[in-house]
Amino acid sequence: MGGVISADDPKWIELYSGLGQSQFDQLVALVRRRGGDVQRGRPWRLPLADRMLLVATYWRTNLTLRQVAPLFGISKSAVDRILDHLAPLLAISPARRPRKDTVYIVDGTLVPTRDRRISASSKNYRYSTNLQVVIEANSRLVVAIGIPLPGSRNDCRAFAESGVDRACHGAPVIADGGYQGTGALIPHRKRRGQQPLSPQQKAENKVHRKARARVEHALSRLKNWKILRDCRLKGDGVHQAMLGIARLHNLALTG
């Protein structure tokens, strides 16, 4: 049975991966170097480029495996094998030691997740996991994503418990008021019984908001991948999906 979607047609690549042809070729070459063409057991029915497009399609549409399988002309079990093999190979690399002029921005996002072991009822009234995302302020590239924590966990605790604090070590970090006590640069706040904010403090808060908006925009682009709106994956699945989507996001920006 032949499939409907193939990487041979550039329109499918741009639609489901958000990448141009040259960027997609770079991604395929990277995954090949990481062992994406290694064959264990049964041979792959699809070439590596089509398998890469399958993973992107699954993340972009959040269709079930039974729905994705006929689009590529393979079985549901074959789709499952491809996802298990390729998803970890797409993950962004750990953040390197930052340069002296590097500034990071951090924020948390809630991903509705059906795996109750890593989720909790949160402020969006759904069982969600809290994922901490760190971007570089100038390039807007995602540099680190924390391990999933229950959605009820506040950001100041999640910053340390998710491990992104270690990725930010050695660079100033901009964050919102929820990161009080973490050492991040947060906006000025009027305390009870204190004087109102001075004009200078208000001006500094305005600059802070403009800078922090960059991480909000990055999270919005990441959430265009529908699997992050209702994730059915269990265990490390949501983390691997987020790391892989961050790779595609970064490649789209640098391309």
Side-chain angles (χ1 to χ4, degrees), residues 5-6 11 18 20 27 33 56 60 64 73 75 97 103-104 108 119 134 151 154 156 220 222 230 236 249:
I5 299 175
S6 172
K11 71 179 180 183
L27 188 66
R33 290 195 302 270
R60 176 73 80 174
T64 65
S75 66
R97 179 173 296 181
V103 177
Y104 290 148
S119 63
V134 181
N154 58 46
C156 63
S220 177
L222 292 173
D230 182 19
D236 293 335
H249 166 271

Side-chain angles (χ1 to χ4, degrees), residues 189-247:
R189 300 174 63 183
K190 178 183 178 297
R191 305 294 181 182
R192 181 178 297 179
Q194 291 183 346
Q195 295 293 326
L197 297 181
S198 67
Q200 180 178 350
Q201 289 175 322
K202 291 180 180 179
E204 290 173 354
N205 280 356
K206 183 177 180 180
V207 174
H208 187 280
R209 284 195 301 272
K210 288 184 177 180
R212 198 173 57 80
R214 297 187 176 192
V215 72
E216 300 287 354
H217 297 159
L219 292 176
S220 177
R221 287 191 291 269
L222 292 173
K223 288 293 187 74
N224 283 334
W225 299 79
K226 293 185 179 179
I227 197 168
L228 301 181
R229 300 181 187 179
D230 182 19
C231 188
R232 294 186 296 269
L233 299 172
K234 296 182 179 180
D236 293 335
V238 62
H239 194 213
Q240 289 180 355
M242 193 68 162
L243 291 170
I245 291 169
R247 166 77 65 183

Side-chain angles (χ1 to χ4, degrees), residues 11 34 65 67 74 77 89 108 113 138 159 183 185 196 199 226 241:
K11 71 179 180 183
R34 290 184 167 187
L65 301 187
Q67 292 169 324
I74 58 177
S77 59
L89 303 181
T113 309
N138 290 330
F159 181 70
L185 304 173
K226 293 185 179 179

Side-chain angles (χ1 to χ4, degrees), residues 104-110 123 130-135 144-146 149 153-165 168 173-187 189 191 208 212 215-216 219:
Y104 290 148
I105 311 174
V106 64
D107 200 4
T109 186
L110 294 176
K123 60 184 179 183
N130 183 329
L131 285 170
Q132 297 287 302
V133 179
V134 181
I135 70 166
I145 294 175
L149 296 170
R153 196 70 46 86
N154 58 46
D155 285 336
C156 63
R157 284 186 58 191
F159 181 70
E161 294 178 9
S162 67
V164 296
D165 59 333
C168 296
V173 181
I174 298 174
D176 62 28
Y179 289 82
Q180 186 175 2
T182 62
L185 304 173
I186 63 175
R189 300 174 63 183
R191 305 294 181 182
H208 187 280
R212 198 173 57 80
V215 72
E216 300 287 354
L219 292 176

Side-chain angles (χ1 to χ4, degrees), residues 109-115 118-130 149-152:
T109 186
L110 294 176
V111 176
T113 309
R114 302 189 188 185
D115 188 350
I118 59 171
S119 63
S121 183
S122 52
K123 60 184 179 183
N124 62 359
Y125 304 105
R126 300 179 65 181
Y127 273 81
S128 304
T129 185
N130 183 329
L149 296 170
S152 57

Side-chain angles (χ1 to χ4, degrees), residues 8 38 45 56 69 73 80 83 113 140 175 193 220 223 244 252:
D8 293 335
V38 174
R45 173 78 177 274
D80 198 19
L83 290 170
T113 309
R140 309 184 187 210
S220 177
K223 288 293 187 74

